[in-house]
Amino acid sequence: MENRRDKLGSRLGFIMLSAGCAIGCGNVWKFPWMAGQFGGGGFVLVYILCLLLLGLPAMTMEFAVGRAAQASPVKMYQKLEKPGQKWHIHGILAFIGNICLMAFYTVVTGWMIYYFVMFLTGKSQNLGFVTMITNPTVNVVYMLIAVVVGFLVLSFDLQGGLERVTKYLMTALFVLMIILAFHSALLSGAKEGLAFYLVPDFSKINGSVIVGAMNQAFFTLSIGIGSMAIFGSYIGKERSLLGESVNVIILDTFVAIMAGFIMFPACFTYGIEVNAGPSLLFDTMATVFNNMAGGRIWGTLFFLFMVFAAFSTVLAVFENILACVRELTGWSRPKGCLVCGIGISLLALTTALGYSVLHFQPFAEGTAWLDFWDFIVSTNLLPLGALIFSLFCSYKIGWGWDKFIEEANAGKGMKVKNWMKPVFKYFVPLCIAALYIYGLWTFKWK
């Protein structure tokens, strides 16, 4: 087994890579349609509060555990827990969570690539979300493209592959988002769309909205399944971790908010339902681009940006899975990439074929394999993982508060203060536990 642990070449690389893991389909596919279904501005407000009050502490703790352990999720607890403790079980669950996430995320990434190719080649007029997801060939081929490209990049060393590519992807993503948001601001329905999106209607805020906002915050930040811990293990102690978490969350929130700036003015301009759900991005944006001047160019740019956003997360989570597998087996990067790529491709076939030949309805009518994998990850493993990190870092039965702040505060930058201890130790775990239980109680099982 290789003894030298991979390292990132720069602080910028770490921030971009961590933000890249956080930024993805959760920001630009899931966040807008959830905001649309949960009433717009009220959901956005609660979402931002969840990011600050729950997401920021949880991310700081996950970074700290990863940096202190200098190991992947399957090994990190074993290095920090006391003899006889069982915290390392969460490391195994985190590894499984990353795999389950990629069981549907690679398929969604394939959808982004497909729409980009259709706009680029001028074949966007007959695009339809239902038509796409029920076509097994399209789903399988484009899912495989996502997996092959992702692991091909990771087969190179960390600095030469993942860090370098992610820097370019993230830079291009930010530029494209600003251009598209500026374009949407000039549409005739911009005022109404932005009012719906930014002005809270407090009458629409209820328990389900709060649960949805919390789950979305953890989903979009990739907190709870070790995705942030692995990048914490790749950096030195030059910078304290609270400040680095703030930087990542600012970039992540910027992309999510900008996605709404792009989509809601367009929806109100062209009379498209904002509560269309998962198909909102695909059906509505394709309709918008097909009925506007220069739509092919704007559509190509938009879905190119979507591909960038999706791949930033795919690459980061693939790296997490690969790191776990390599620590368990001692394999080289190329061998690990080959085996992991084959395994994830086979598992992702469930989602890719779930709307055509592998019908499966796990919950309410209309649900499929995608909903099953998302339920495991978003509804369960992410909030429970954030809860476990919180308990592990805050209490003596785990790593403990003193060791946590020693690690989190090492280096220059923003520090975790002692007055924050009640937030980390009591507020965060109690809120997560309460919202998790409420979410399961009110979940639409059938």
Side-chain angles (χ1 to χ4, degrees), residues 3-323:
N3 294 319
R4 183 183 65 84
R5 185 158 188 81
D6 287 329
K7 291 292 181 182
L8 295 171
S10 66
R11 180 192 176 203
L12 176 62
F14 162 71
I15 293 174
M16 285 296 199
L17 193 56
S18 300
C21 183
I23 295 167
C25 296
N27 302 72
V28 286
W29 168 59
K30 195 173 183 182
F31 174 75
W33 70 254
M34 288 191 72
Q37 287 196 329
F38 283 117
F43 174 84
V44 175
L45 176 62
V46 176
Y47 167 75
I48 292 175
L49 290 175
C50 286
L51 286 175
L52 294 175
L53 298 176
L54 301 178
L56 179 58
M59 176 173 282
T60 304
M61 289 185 279
E62 188 168 332
F63 274 149
V65 170
R67 190 169 72 173
Q70 291 290 292
S72 70
V74 292
K75 294 286 187 179
M76 62 188 180
Y77 284 110
Q78 295 174 15
K79 291 192 173 185
L80 301 179
E81 68 185 359
K82 299 177 181 67
Q85 292 185 328
K86 303 297 182 182
W87 294 95
H88 60 272
I89 294 175
H90 176 238
I92 299 171
L93 292 176
F95 176 50
I96 294 172
N98 281 272
I99 295 173
C100 291
L101 175 61
M102 289 297 102
F104 72 91
Y105 206 100
T106 51
V107 177
V108 177
T109 302
W111 295 344
M112 306 299 178
I113 300 172
Y114 176 70
Y115 264 64
F116 164 67
V117 170
M118 291 298 102
F119 271 95
L120 182 66
T121 56
K123 300 177 182 178
S124 61
Q125 291 299 324
N126 296 320
L127 278 175
F129 183 72
V130 174
T131 302
M132 175 184 66
I133 64 175
T134 54
N135 186 323
T137 302
V138 167
N139 279 262
V140 173
V141 168
Y142 283 90
M143 176 272 290
L144 290 175
I145 290 173
V147 174
V148 170
V149 170
F151 279 113
L152 185 63
V153 170
L154 294 186
S155 65
F156 299 96
D157 66 276
L158 188 67
Q159 291 183 32
L162 179 59
E163 182 178 357
R164 181 177 300 171
V165 170
T166 303
K167 283 182 182 179
Y168 292 131
L169 286 181
M170 295 302 296
T171 302
L173 184 153
F174 293 143
V175 172
L176 280 170
M177 289 214 71
I178 293 171
I179 293 172
L180 290 170
F182 179 76
H183 176 266
S184 287
L186 300 177
L187 296 175
S188 61
K191 183 178 180 180
E192 293 81 359
L194 293 177
F196 168 81
Y197 180 51
L198 299 177
V199 179
D201 183 349
F202 293 99
S203 66
K204 295 182 179 179
I205 299 177
N206 53 33
S208 296
V209 170
I210 298 173
V211 170
M214 179 191 73
N215 289 343
Q216 174 61 18
F218 290 148
F219 182 86
T220 191
L221 294 176
S222 300
I223 292 174
I225 54 175
S227 298
M228 292 294 113
I230 193 67
F231 299 121
S233 75
Y234 288 147
I235 60 170
K237 297 181 183 289
E238 294 81 12
R239 304 290 303 189
S240 58
L241 296 175
L242 182 61
E244 303 301 78
S245 298
V246 169
N247 291 330
V248 173
I249 288 176
I250 287 174
L251 292 177
D252 178 80
T253 307
F254 170 79
V255 172
I257 297 300
M258 291 294 281
F261 276 123
I262 293 169
M263 296 186 66
F264 289 111
C267 288
F268 277 81
T269 299
Y270 295 96
I272 297 166
E273 291 293 332
V274 296
N275 60 351
S279 66
L280 178 69
L281 174 77
F282 296 96
D283 278 347
T284 58
M285 294 310 292
T287 301
V288 168
F289 292 132
N290 285 330
N291 289 279
M292 64 184 286
R296 178 181 172 184
I297 296 174
W298 287 112
T300 301
L301 286 173
F302 180 80
F303 285 103
L304 175 63
F305 141 67
M306 289 300 304
V307 171
F308 286 168
F311 261 112
S312 66
T313 299
V314 166
L315 289 171
V317 178
F318 277 3
E319 172 64 25
N320 203 351
I321 295 170
L322 179 62

